[in-house]
Amino acid sequence: MHVLILGGTTEARRLAELLEAELPAGSRVTSSLAGRVARPKLPPGEVRVGGFGGAGGLAEWLRTHQVHALIDATHPFAGTITFHAATAAAAAHVPLLMLRRPGWVPGDGDDWHPVGSLAEAADALPGLGRRVFLTTGRMGLAAFADLDELWFLMRSVDAPEPPCPARMETLLDRGPFTLEGERELIRRHRVDVLVTKDSGGAATAPKLAAAREAGIPVVVVSRPPVPEGGAVAGGPEEAVAWLRVLTG
Ligand SMILES: NC(=O)c1ccc[n+]([C@@H]2O[C@H](COP(=O)([O-])OP(=O)(O)OC[C@H]3O[C@@H](n4cnc5c(N)ncnc54)[C@H](OP(=O)(O)O)[C@@H]3O)[C@@H](O)[C@H]2O)c1
């Protein structure tokens, strides 16, 4: 049994841990990382790093490494690899499961402004605040680079590269984050608007509660589309159950 996990998320690491314990001796679990983060938290089992060279390259990898099951546990905003996974799995006749954590849902007291892209988030910002807590990651900062009137607190795992907003303070940090910590950041930096992707999951959710408490608006970037049909799991335990059924 050889399972390939397309990773780069907390859930992918957790799944690799569960499969290490679950699968019979002699099985292989390989986690694949894109290589975006300089010092990633590594899962147990085998790890490979770097792109496959498109859907065709991934299909070839599945064949030559005799993969029995492919689990796409990438981030909900990693839209390209998810479509490549669907195409490659079909071409190589390998069963595919998409592991997708549920998106966040606004609650009482939330002032959320859903947008379709980072560019739309940038368009919405001047009407909402002046001091922005930007948590959409270091990629795609170019969308905010022309907003000279606004000040940004930009948080990411690794340092960003230009183009970036002119008035930007960088905070290098990696989740999970706490409500106390997020509350303190908003207070200390006098943040008056938060920008986030609808990533879902508990590790980065406290900023939403902190924004609600502070009474500030939140610009929420909606998820990109995913391939139609196919098996979907909401969490690592469900993915293990899918694999159990698959292997009988
Ligand atoms: N996008 C986010 O907000 C975000 C947040 C947290 C973590 N991540 C993680 O960061 C990675 C890259 O995200 P992205 O948004 O740049 O992805 P993407 O736009 O969907 O993928 C771009 C290309 O990167 C390569 N790639 C992506 N994920 C890979 C993986 N797990 N293993 C091997 N190659 C991979 C593929 O290259 P080839 O075509 O050459 O195969 C893919 O075509 C993902 O693994 C994702 O889980 C992303």
Side-chain angles (χ1 to χ4, degrees):
M1 183 71 182
H2 185 192
V3 181
L4 175 63
I5 302 172
L6 301 174
T9 57
T10 308
E11 287 76 10
R13 269 197 312 280
R14 177 72 188 134
L15 176 61
E17 286 168 7
L18 291 175
L19 292 184
E20 282 287 299
E22 167 91 12
L23 291 179
S27 304
R28 289 175 66 192
V29 176
T30 304
S31 295
S32 174
L33 304 178
R36 301 275 190 280
V37 175
R39 283 188 304 282
K41 286 187 196 166
L42 291 179
E46 298 171 41
V47 176
R48 67 163 299 285
V49 180
F52 295 92
L58 177 53
E60 187 57 25
W61 203 97
L62 295 174
R63 286 191 206 97
T64 53
H65 293 82
Q66 297 178 334
V67 172
H68 298 99
L70 174 62
I71 302 183
D72 170 21
T74 56
H75 191 269
F77 280 80
T80 308
I81 188 74
T82 290
F83 277 90
H84 287 181
T87 306
H93 305 290
V94 172
L96 167 69
L97 177 74
M98 246 181 11
L99 199 169
R100 279 293 170 278
R101 52 173 100 130
W104 289 317
V105 178
D108 281 351
D110 279 325
D111 178 16
W112 285 18
H113 299 255
V115 293
S117 65
L118 293 178
E120 281 182 30
D123 286 345
L125 275 177
L128 293 172
R130 282 282 170 274
R131 298 183 62 82
V132 184
F133 186 12
L134 186 58
T135 64
T136 49
R138 73 192 169 103
M139 315 298 262
L141 288 180
F144 304 93
D146 292 335
L147 295 173
D148 295 336
E149 302 301 309
L150 309 188
W151 177 87
F152 290 83
L153 175 66
M154 198 288 301
R155 181 167 66 194
S156 60
V157 176
D158 289 317
E161 286 161 18
C164 302
R167 300 172 63 217
M168 183 178 92
E169 183 172 329
T170 301
L171 176 61
L172 297 183
D173 204 355
R174 180 190 330 236
F177 301 107
T178 64
L179 178 57
E180 293 71 30
E182 303 294 53
R183 210 182 255 151
E184 176 56 16
L185 280 180
I186 288 174
R187 190 196 63 75
R188 179 153 36 96
H189 294 283
R190 293 177 288 116
V191 167
D192 58 12
V193 58
L194 166 70
V195 185
T196 180
K197 293 174 175 172
D198 179 15
S199 300
T204 59
K207 62 188 168 189
L208 301 170
R212 183 186 315 133
E213 276 184 14
I216 64 172
V218 183
V219 179
V220 182
V221 184
S222 308
R223 294 178 170 198
V226 290
E228 298 272 318
V232 180
E237 286 76 11
E238 260 182 63
V240 174
W242 173 82
L243 207 55
R244 253 183 229 137
V245 172
L246 191 75
T247 55

